[in-house]
Structure formats: C-alpha cells, structure tokens
Amino acid sequence: KTVAVDEIRAGLDPLDPRGVWALGQVASSLIARHGKYGDAGGPNRCGSPGSEFVGCGRLTTKLGPQALQAECMTCIAGLLVDERNIQATAASMHSGGVNVLMCDGSAQFITNEIDVEIWHALHTRDGNDSGR
C-alpha cells in the first residue's frame, strides 16, 4: 500500500521543468512534501500555491498567473535567489485524479479529493512519518 511512482504532468513551457524525466529535482521527475509539510496539497491541487521550483518566477512572468491557474499548474514565484526545488505533487490531465504505481506493481487511480493525510501516508514507509 505504498506509492512507488506518481504521475507528473509535463510543463506548459520550456521554462517549466515539471514532468521532465531527466532532471532529478523536485517538480521535474520527483514529487516532495505533497501536502504534509508544504502546501502543495494532494494530486491536481488548483487551490493551493502549487509546486515550488527554481524557474517559477520566470515561468509566471512569461505565461501569467491566470494561465497557470487555468491549467491547475500554479507554482510559488519568487526572486530567483529565493526560489528552491522544494515541493511538488502529482498532476495529470485526467479528469478527477492521477495514476500511481504501487510498490506491489499494481497501478491505481487516486482521486483529487483524497485527504492529504492519507495521500502523504501512501508515500511513506509503514503509512506514517516517524521522522526516522
């Protein structure tokens, strides 16, 4: 009952690293914090600030915050020196949720409405985060 791989939607622009498989950083080929410690929330979260990655400021300036919100691809923009690769959650273009690959090899569809505590538990060993 542990998620091994999350679906990550490809970015909207060449400045957007989300979904790029060859970059080992948050928001590209990795998700992180997905709602438990950050505010990225669960899958396909449109209402939260969104992913936090280096380059969000340039992306927001180029496309505009309204365009990112319309696509549910918001990110936390800041000065380049303040931007960090720190949080991102699963995202897709599927209606209502995302696909995940479980450690047992099964594929599951997770709805966007999943409680963030359960979402987080699915991404941790033993269903919790003991801090170890």
Side-chain angles (χ1 to χ4, degrees):
K1 298 187 181 197
T2 302
V3 173
V5 178
D6 288 274
E7 183 173 11
I8 302 176
R9 182 177 172 188
L12 302 173
D13 184 87
L15 289 174
D16 193 342
R18 291 177 281 191
V20 178
W21 69 269
L23 295 176
Q25 67 188 39
V26 169
S28 57
S29 59
L30 303 172
I31 64 165
R33 298 176 77 186
H34 37 269
K36 177 72 172 186
Y37 300 111
D39 51 13
N44 290 320
R45 291 291 187 220
C46 293
S48 62
S51 300
E52 190 170 355
F53 57 87
V54 173
C56 175
R58 290 186 302 253
L59 178 67
T60 302
T61 298
K62 181 176 181 181
L63 300 182
Q66 295 83 5
L68 295 174
Q69 179 65 37
E71 291 288 333
C72 291
M73 294 285 281
T74 57
C75 60
I76 299 172
L79 299 173
L80 187 57
V81 294
D82 293 328
E83 289 182 352
R84 302 172 290 167
N85 294 316
I86 195 167
Q87 71 178 10
T89 192
S92 75
M93 294 183 71
H94 304 299
S95 178
V98 297
N99 291 302
V100 298
L101 176 65
M102 307 301 283
C103 288
D104 67 3
S106 66
Q108 305 290 327
F109 185 78
I110 306 294
T111 67
N112 293 339
E113 288 78 31
I114 189 169
D115 180 271
V116 293
E117 293 291 330
I118 295 170
W119 177 245
H120 177 76
L122 288 171
H123 290 84
T124 61
R125 183 175 53 194
D126 299 326
N128 65 42
D129 185 6
S130 63
R132 291 184 265 163

